[in-house]
Amino acid sequence: MTGEGDAKDQRKAENEKEDTLTNRQGHPITDNQNMTTVGNRGPTTLENYDFLEKMSHFDRERIPERVVHARGAGAHGYFQSYGKVGDDPISNYTRAKVFTNTEAETPVFVRFSTVIHGAHSPETQRDPRGFAVKFYTEDGNWDLVGNNLKIFFIRDAIKFPDVIHALKPDPVTNRQDPRRIFDFMAASPESTHMLTFLFSPWGIPANYRYMQGSGVNTYKWVNDEGKAVLVKYHWEPVQGIKNLTQEEADHIQGENFNHATQDLYESIENGDYPEWELYVQIMEDGEHPELDFDPLDDTKLWYKDEFPWHKVGKMTLNKNPENYFAEVEQSAFGTGVLVDGLDFSDDKMLQGRTFSYSDTQRYRVGPNYLQLPVNAPKKHLGTNQRDGQMTYHVDNPPGSDPHINYEPSITGGLQEADHKGTPHEPEVVGKVKREAIDRKAHFSQAGETWRRFNEREKADLISNLSSALVDADEAVQKQMISHMTEADSEYGRRLKEGITNVRSSENEKQEDAVLDAERMGDVSDPY
């Protein structure tokens, strides 16, 4: 196969011009207004090829919606490394060329998203935001897949389907139900810290340009000597950070439920290119028994005063997609997509996500999703992978033997690359077991976050949590109040008072809304 899809053959039929409409087979369309019928009133005939091709493709215009992160927006740009970690050369810590080559402007594609709700849900929903960056590096693709918030609800990937099920609409009523959400969260005390952020104004970023990003997981950097350090990634918007209270979000949603997508698109179109600087935190590889938490725990922050942030590069978004579906909807990311010099830690969430993400893309987009332009590396490719649904081309380098699609071979074919740099070979010793980490510290950082919030953030948090918990079972309410009290006594006390104050008014308000919809509608005659 010679890559016919790349050819721009301009041959035309006698009745064609540059702007002639054709079908996918290249046949000129002479009538795009009428199906073939018996007479001009019908019935239609079976050999309506143009109609059947057009309609059958339309029926398939939507690939399966992402289970999470369905609502998204994206843009192209570039990343440039500063080449330093503090005063040290960045090569002391990593040999990844995306960081060591300060001359390169590495192309990137970024997809921002909400997590729980569907593809056309309002962008003012209280929800974590996805912040996924695909770097098209000279060594191949690197995907940094994260969120706006720097922590997560859980620390073990085996619980991921459950937390998402709890946050998704009820399988019977199809309504997102706080009673279900907090039933799960009350039984998962490690979620207390994330809930403290999510129900504060940090749970509703003003838009994508004023939003932080985080890798959330703990990764490793590896240098030329094979030495590794633990690393966390943070994207900080040069534009500044802005979040919304629930009241502010409700006002915006009433006027424009696409506001964040519109803002991102129009800003880039107007030349007001959004920028983020990338910061890293570095920790020596190891268990760090001196800390009261495990550094691989995704429910925890590494505080700046102990582990400083180091500015290592800047990302600029300067080009909007030309086709949303081809570039944003079909863009596919995975936490396992790392280049030389970047590596995995033993973070349980990272380990689980590394299987889940790429497996999801093969199901959702197809086994050849990496042949799509938005996902394909911008460099030499040579694989022995063949066939599968929607194969577009074969990754045969020029001059290679197309008969040999296996390795090793003594007569030709692709060859393994030479090792560059000493491999990182962590030593793993221990019993194979299924149990939680030792240093759980469910509530300490949640309390610290509460104490660091200003009064606006505290008040909004209590208001939102109280409203969400008011209909929950009493046992769930008590457990959530207990968790917040463990975090900080003021936090727990104010939540208890908030639920009591909301209880009487909230039920009436929801019932009134149902009755108002019936009462306010005008009666109309049938037509």
Side-chain angles (χ1 to χ4, degrees):
M1 193 170 180
T2 56
E4 293 94 333
D6 292 332
K8 299 290 186 182
D9 198 326
Q10 297 302 311
R11 288 176 293 178
K12 302 180 185 70
E14 290 182 3
N15 60 337
E16 281 187 88
K17 298 184 295 184
E18 290 288 344
D19 58 355
T20 296
L21 178 67
T22 75
N23 66 18
R24 280 288 178 89
Q25 301 285 12
H27 307 159
I29 301 295
T30 57
D31 188 342
N32 195 42
Q33 319 306 317
N34 305 289
M35 293 189 294
T36 304
T37 59
V38 179
N40 61 11
R41 295 183 66 238
T44 63
T45 62
L46 182 62
E47 68 271 14
N48 261 283
Y49 182 84
D50 288 342
F51 164 76
L52 292 174
E53 185 198 67
K54 181 179 181 181
M55 186 56 70
S56 63
H57 184 274
F58 174 78
D59 291 345
R60 292 161 174 79
E61 280 187 357
R62 294 297 176 265
I63 60 180
E65 184 177 288
R66 288 170 164 90
V67 177
V68 287
H69 299 278
R71 169 60 129 140
H76 300 269
Y78 63 91
F79 172 80
Q80 191 155 21
S81 172
Y82 297 151
K84 295 278 191 180
V85 173
D87 295 327
D88 298 329
I90 206 165
S91 58
N92 288 1
Y93 301 94
T94 178
R95 59 181 183 242
K97 295 190 187 73
V98 65
F99 289 115
T100 60
N101 185 355
T102 58
E103 301 300 317
E105 290 187 349
T106 302
V108 299
F109 181 78
V110 179
R111 187 176 186 272
F112 303 105
S113 59
T114 56
V115 175
I116 293 301
H117 301 281
H120 297 289
S121 55
E123 292 180 303
T124 46
Q125 293 281 355
R126 183 171 306 283
D127 203 4
R129 301 304 194 265
F131 196 124
V133 184
K134 186 179 295 292
F135 298 78
Y136 305 95
T137 85
E138 57 189 293
D139 284 332
N141 287 356
W142 168 36
D143 291 350
L144 180 54
V145 191
N147 290 335
N148 65 314
L149 298 174
K150 301 179 186 299
I151 55 174
F152 201 58
F153 299 95
I154 54 176
R155 61 170 69 95
D156 193 306
I158 200 170
K159 296 181 69 170
F160 188 78
D162 297 296
V163 68
I164 297 303
H165 284 174
L167 291 164
K168 285 282 191 180
D170 185 302
V172 177
T173 67
N174 199 36
R175 293 176 58 221
Q176 191 182 39
D177 190 341
R179 291 175 297 183
R180 301 175 69 251
I181 295 172
F182 287 102
D183 183 34
F184 175 87
M185 301 301 175
S188 305
E190 69 270 31
S191 67
T192 306
H193 196 193
M194 180 66 165
L195 291 173
T196 302
F197 273 107
L198 183 62
F199 280 82
S200 78
W202 290 90
I204 311 179
N207 57 39
Y208 298 129
R209 290 188 303 123
Y210 288 95
M211 184 176 84
Q212 292 175 299
S214 170
V216 180
N217 298 119
T218 304
Y219 290 87
K220 286 182 181 179
W221 273 1
V222 180
N223 65 14
D224 277 330
E225 299 171 358
K227 181 181 178 183
V229 292
L230 301 178
V231 63
K232 277 189 177 285
Y233 298 102
H234 305 281
W235 293 107
E236 293 298 302
V238 176
Q239 301 76 233
I241 302 168
K242 292 185 179 180
N243 300 310
L244 301 175
T245 64
Q246 187 64 59
E247 183 180 10
E248 292 165 342
D250 290 344
H251 169 76
I252 293 167
Q253 182 172 320
E255 296 183 341
N256 185 346
F257 72 95
N258 302 289
H259 79 285
T261 293
Q262 181 176 338
D263 173 81
L264 179 68
Y265 183 89
E266 291 181 351
S267 295
I268 294 174
E269 285 297 292
N270 294 333
D272 184 14
Y273 301 141
E275 296 177 326
W276 285 261
E277 289 193 296
L278 181 62
Y279 292 77
V280 297
Q281 290 176 287
I282 291 174
M283 191 185 299
E284 288 297 318
D285 193 8
E287 296 185 16
H288 289 273
E290 76 280 3
L291 301 175
D292 66 353
F293 66 95
D294 192 312
L296 304 184
D297 183 351
D298 287 349
T299 70
K300 302 296 188 295
L301 296 169
W302 296 2
Y303 287 124
K304 289 182 183 180
D305 54 355
E306 294 182 74
F307 304 99
W309 287 24
H310 301 287
K311 191 186 303 184
V312 296
K314 181 190 285 187
M315 177 175 70
T316 303
L317 300 183
N318 60 2
K319 182 179 182 297
N320 280 313
E322 296 179 9
N323 181 280
Y324 177 87
F325 183 84
E327 298 168 67
V328 182
E329 184 62 20
Q330 292 194 128
S331 62
F333 301 84
T335 56
V337 184
L338 304 175
V339 295
D340 183 53
L342 311 178
D343 212 332
F344 305 98
S345 76
D346 296 333
D347 178 340
K348 291 185 181 184
M349 280 296 295
L350 175 59
Q351 302 271 321
R353 292 176 78 200
T354 294
F355 163 75
S356 175
Y357 270 62
S358 293
D359 184 58
T360 294
Q361 311 303 355
R362 285 186 284 269
Y363 162 73
R364 190 180 69 86
V365 186
N368 288 299
Y369 73 95
L370 287 170
Q371 292 191 0
L372 297 174
V374 71
N375 297 321
K378 300 181 186 298
K379 65 174 294 294
H380 155 86
L381 285 177
T383 80
N384 286 323
Q385 294 179 356
R386 294 291 187 272
D387 309 336
Q389 187 179 33
M390 299 298 287
T391 298
Y392 179 66
H393 59 82
V394 175
D395 300 325
N396 274 341
S400 61
D401 187 339
H403 298 281
I404 301 177
N405 63 343
Y406 50 85
E407 191 281 328
S409 165
I410 60 175
T411 61
L414 302 173
Q415 304 293 316
E416 294 175 335
D418 294 332
H419 277 296
K420 291 188 176 179
T422 303
H424 173 54
E425 298 177 336
E427 183 175 345
V428 180
V429 178
K431 294 180 179 179
V432 177
K433 57 177 68 177
R434 295 180 70 166
E435 64 180 35
I437 61 175
D438 293 328
R439 289 167 287 167
K440 300 178 182 67
H442 295 314
F443 310 113
S444 57
Q445 288 201 1
E448 183 63 29
T449 294
W450 165 265
R451 291 185 288 274
R452 293 187 182 199
F453 277 172
N454 60 38
E455 184 51 38
R456 176 180 185 266
E457 292 168 326
K458 288 180 177 179
D460 194 57
L461 168 60
I462 295 300
S463 173
N464 298 326
L465 272 179
S466 300
S467 297
L469 278 165
V470 70
D471 289 331
D473 291 344
E474 186 176 353
V476 172
Q477 292 178 351
K478 288 182 177 179
Q479 192 62 54
M480 292 305 304
I481 292 169
S482 174
H483 288 175
M484 283 25 178
T485 304
E486 286 277 352
D488 185 279
S489 58
E490 180 196 23
Y491 189 3
R493 174 181 57 77
R494 289 179 61 171
L495 178 59
K496 183 178 181 179
E497 293 170 355
I499 294 172
T500 301
N501 294 335
V502 169
R503 183 177 288 120
S504 58
S505 61
E506 193 66 24
N507 290 336
E508 294 178 8
K509 188 189 303 182
Q510 292 187 8
E511 288 299 324
D512 287 347
V514 175
L515 296 174
D516 285 346
E518 180 179 354
R519 184 171 62 251
M520 292 179 176
D522 289 336
V523 177
S524 301
D525 293 328
Y527 62 88

